[in-house]
Amino acid sequence: MTIINSKIHFRVAAGVTSGSLLFASLIALILLFTSYQSHTETIRQSVKEAVYASGVDKLLIAQLEIGLDEDIQQSLDLLRVITDAKLAKGTSLKGNFSSTATAYSPSGLDIHTVLPIKTSDGKALGRIDLYHASDNLFESVISPLKYPVLMLLVYSLLVSILAFLIVSKILTQPMKQIAHQFHQITPGEDDRIDTPQGHEDNEISDLVGDLNTLLDSVQETIENERQLNVKNEALSRKFRFIFERASAGIGLIDGDNRLVVANPALMRLFGQTVIAEPENFKNADFFYFFNDKSEMQDLLEEFRTKPGNAFTSIDILLRRKLKSPDRWVHCLLSKVEDLDDPDTTLLELVVYDITERAEREQNIIFEAEHDPVTHLLNRRAAMSKLSAGLRQAEDTGRYFALMMIDLDGFKNVNDTYGHDAGDKVIIDVAKRIRQFFRSSDVVSRWGGDEFLIGFSYSPEYESAVTDIATDLQTKIAQSIDIGHEQSATVGSSLGISLFPQKSKNLHTLIEQADSAMYYVKNNGKNFFHFYTSDTPKMQTR
């Protein structure tokens, strides 16, 4: 800007000078043209006046009529103003005119005068083209114009100098002064530009006022931004304090399902179960931290496809180190936009440790579904599991067997050794039965010393139920340590009903197994019996 200001008066002066010179040149051309036209017309008039005053025109007419060409030339030579002449005569003229031996070739700049030849009665006989040489014409025309043109050039130069001085004084110097003050002001400070002396009431003063208004606006904006930055920094410190001190784990998951941000609480939650070094969290695979990766993976895939900024949650078990206790967490997920890449959706993660709550809930559910002594399924839970087992067997084309077991001799143990010994017998038998069957099979304490078992088997294995019943009775009949160096032995009566051979209804199957078991009890005990249509029916208790 300083360079521009330092040259502006030169530019204005150059512009004024160019305009002045152009104007002077135009005036000079106009004067030259006007002078030339005037001088030319004067010469033409002089030629005609000389011809008419000397009477040469009348002499030419007489000489042309009788054909005296040489006399025509001699007559024309009498006129000093004529450099050359050419005759263009009519058909009635007998004379013939030709130039002298030293022929003259007229140029385009010579002054050409046409002299008509007429009789006394006005009849046109022809014309004579008279030429006046232009050798001294331009000298005669230009000489009077030299002084006026020189004066125009001098005036133009004086105007340029004057414009240079005026622009420099009135415009350039104040602008340089304003620019210098403007560059010295630091944005946000209270300093302002002073109006140059002598320019208090013109456009320079208005410019200074506008610049000062702009500086006021800039200062106000900077002050507002400064205050806003202070507030943002304070708010940022609060959020960072919350982020770093929060008891809940907070993190950010990118589009590739990698954990890119994690607060200390989240690092502790995951570190207690999987890793302990903070640097290992960088770009860690999010699914790695969970015991069931597929469960979390399916949740995230489904959640990302949902429109809108919805949220979802899940209670899930974290992956744990060997011999570490289970740790349950509640994960709350919501969508956030990536400011660096708007096309990418990030997932905000908030994780709460719910291990104690989950354990309490599991204990409540376990107690509601299991027998407090044997920890086997109770009757209500067993009914639900058996219903699901029958549906699965029907869907897969497998058979399903129900076994009702009643312990033989259990009452004698209770009466002889007491209820504590009876409980030990029940607990030990329950463990043997539980270990004998698969985890997918249903093993329940039906009540007292009765157990109800349900399991599926392949139709191709026809002796499966018989083999299992035989081995199970052998297992139950083994001696049981009841403490104080004492042992007890109990037998078992088994009643068996089959799905779908005997019925497809669960309640009916249970009644059939119960009837078959009582048939065994009433017929010697300690063997198993398959329900048939001949088996006496008993009311299920």
Side-chain angles (χ1 to χ4, degrees):
M1 184 173 181
T2 304
I3 297 176
I4 294 175
N5 286 337
S6 65
K7 292 183 178 180
I8 189 169
H9 50 288
F10 289 109
R11 295 183 179 182
V12 173
V16 173
T17 303
S18 299
S20 300
L21 291 176
L22 180 63
F23 178 75
S25 300
L26 181 61
I27 294 299
L29 289 175
I30 293 174
L31 291 175
L32 179 63
F33 178 76
T34 303
S35 179
Y36 175 80
Q37 290 293 331
S38 177
H39 197 71
T40 302
E41 188 61 31
T42 301
I43 291 176
R44 286 196 183 102
Q45 192 65 29
S46 298
V47 170
K48 289 181 179 181
E49 290 177 356
V51 171
Y52 291 143
S54 62
V56 173
D57 58 333
K58 296 177 181 179
L59 180 60
L60 288 175
I61 292 172
Q63 292 172 343
L64 286 171
E65 289 178 344
I66 60 177
L68 299 178
D69 295 341
E70 293 181 0
D71 293 335
I72 294 172
Q73 178 65 44
Q74 293 174 0
S75 298
L76 291 173
D77 289 341
L78 296 175
L79 300 175
R80 295 180 177 276
V81 296
I82 298 174
T83 303
D84 189 26
K86 292 185 179 181
L87 174 64
K89 62 182 181 177
T91 57
S92 62
L93 297 178
K94 297 180 181 180
N96 184 24
F97 173 77
S98 61
S99 299
T100 61
T102 58
Y104 179 78
S105 298
S107 68
L109 298 177
D110 290 346
I111 299 174
H112 176 209
T113 303
V114 178
L115 182 65
I117 303 174
K118 299 180 182 180
T119 61
S120 57
D121 57 359
K123 182 180 178 181
L125 298 178
R127 78 172 189 274
I128 296 177
D129 294 330
L130 304 175
Y131 296 92
H132 180 80
S134 60
D135 296 341
N136 299 322
L137 177 62
F138 281 100
E139 183 67 25
S140 302
V141 173
I142 293 175
S143 293
L145 298 178
K146 289 182 179 179
Y147 180 74
V149 171
L150 179 61
M151 292 303 297
L152 281 174
L153 294 175
V154 172
Y155 291 153
S156 299
L157 180 60
L158 291 176
V159 169
S160 300
I161 295 173
L162 182 61
F164 175 84
L165 295 176
I166 292 174
V167 172
S168 176
K169 178 65 177 178
I170 297 178
L171 183 61
T172 305
Q173 290 183 4
M175 291 293 291
K176 291 176 65 176
Q177 182 180 347
I178 293 172
H180 177 73
Q181 292 186 57
F182 185 78
H183 291 157
Q184 297 300 316
I185 296 175
T186 302
E189 292 186 353
D190 296 331
D191 295 338
R192 294 294 179 265
I193 301 172
D194 297 327
T195 302
Q197 187 176 1
H199 297 277
E200 291 79 5
D201 298 322
N202 57 23
E203 289 80 358
I204 297 294
S205 175
D206 295 338
L207 175 61
V208 171
D210 292 340
L211 288 175
N212 287 334
T213 301
L214 177 61
L215 291 173
D216 291 340
S217 178
V218 170
Q219 183 179 11
E220 183 180 359
T221 301
I222 292 176
E223 183 62 28
N224 291 338
E225 289 183 356
R226 184 181 293 115
Q227 294 177 3
L228 184 61
N229 288 337
V230 171
K231 293 180 180 179
N232 288 340
E233 289 176 2
L235 190 61
S236 177
R237 287 194 297 269
K238 292 179 181 179
F239 279 121
R240 180 169 294 277
F241 180 82
I242 294 173
F243 180 79
E244 294 179 351
R245 301 294 181 89
S247 59
I250 303 174
L252 205 60
I253 305 169
D254 65 7
D256 296 326
N257 294 321
R258 293 191 174 274
L259 187 64
V260 294
V261 175
N263 74 335
L266 185 62
M267 295 170 67
R268 287 193 299 270
L269 278 173
F270 288 168
Q272 289 173 346
T273 56
V274 186
I275 52 181
E277 297 78 10
E279 57 270 17
N280 291 339
F281 277 81
K282 185 177 182 181
N283 294 326
D285 183 5
F286 180 63
F287 304 130
Y288 174 79
F289 301 112
F290 301 98
N291 186 58
D292 189 349
K293 294 183 179 181
S294 60
E295 184 179 9
M296 179 58 75
Q297 188 172 2
D298 293 342
L299 176 71
L300 260 61
E301 289 178 358
E302 180 182 359
F303 180 58
R304 288 184 184 276
T305 58
K306 290 183 178 180
N309 296 325
F311 64 89
T312 188
S313 61
I314 185 175
D315 293 342
I316 192 169
L317 181 64
L318 291 177
R319 183 180 180 182
R320 61 187 178 87
K321 291 180 178 179
L322 186 64
K323 296 182 180 180
S324 296
D326 290 341
R327 184 169 294 277
W328 287 85
V329 292
H330 176 76
C331 297
L332 180 64
L333 296 159
S334 59
K335 298 179 182 178
V336 293
E337 182 179 321
D338 188 353
L339 297 179
D340 297 329
D341 185 5
D343 295 332
T344 301
T345 299
L346 303 177
L347 297 182
E348 182 184 20
L349 172 69
V350 180
V351 180
Y352 298 94
D353 187 349
I354 59 168
T355 302
E356 294 183 2
R357 189 192 77 185
E359 290 177 350
R360 287 196 302 269
E361 291 176 353
Q362 290 177 346
N363 291 335
I364 292 173
I365 294 173
F366 186 87
E367 292 173 358
E369 294 182 347
H370 293 77
D371 174 64
V373 177
T374 63
H375 293 168
L376 298 179
L377 294 174
N378 57 25
R379 181 176 294 198
R380 183 183 64 83
M383 290 294 291
S384 176
K385 299 286 186 181
L386 289 171
S387 296
L390 289 179
R391 288 193 299 270
Q392 185 177 11
E394 186 174 12
D395 293 340
T396 57
R398 293 173 65 84
Y399 288 170
F400 200 89
L402 280 180
M403 286 185 177
M404 184 70 76
I405 304 174
D406 184 82
L407 299 182
D408 298 331
F410 177 73
K411 185 177 181 301
N412 183 47
V413 172
N414 260 344
D415 293 342
T416 304
Y417 301 105
H419 292 288
D420 290 341
D423 290 342
K424 289 182 179 180
V425 170
I426 290 293
I427 292 171
D428 193 271
V429 170
K431 287 182 179 178
R432 296 178 184 182
I433 297 174
R434 177 71 272 175
Q435 293 171 357
F436 192 82
F437 289 93
R438 299 165 299 188
S439 60
S440 59
D441 296 335
V442 180
V443 179
S444 65
R445 184 182 182 187
W446 202 246
D449 59 348
E450 292 181 350
F451 300 89
L452 181 62
I453 301 168
F455 60 92
S456 65
Y457 63 97
S458 172
E460 298 177 356
Y461 188 8
E462 297 181 355
S463 62
V465 180
T466 301
D467 295 341
I468 291 173
T470 302
D471 293 341
L472 181 59
Q473 284 193 309
T474 302
K475 190 76 172 177
I476 293 173
Q478 293 176 359
S479 176
I480 301 170
D481 182 12
I482 59 175
H484 305 290
E485 300 181 353
Q486 294 178 326
S487 62
T489 304
V490 294
S492 58
S493 298
L494 275 70
I496 305 170
S497 61
L498 301 177
F499 167 92
Q501 297 91 323
K502 299 303 178 182
S503 178
K504 293 185 177 181
N505 181 269
L506 177 59
H507 292 282
T508 302
L509 290 170
I510 294 174
E511 292 176 358
Q512 292 174 354
D514 194 51
S515 298
M517 183 269 291
Y518 272 97
Y519 175 82
V520 174
K521 296 287 284 186
N522 295 330
N523 290 276
K525 303 179 181 180
N526 204 31
F527 66 95
F528 60 87
H529 175 71
F530 287 91
Y531 174 84
T532 64
S533 57
D534 295 334
T535 303
K537 295 183 179 181
M538 298 293 294
Q539 184 70 32
T540 303
R541 294 155 293 140

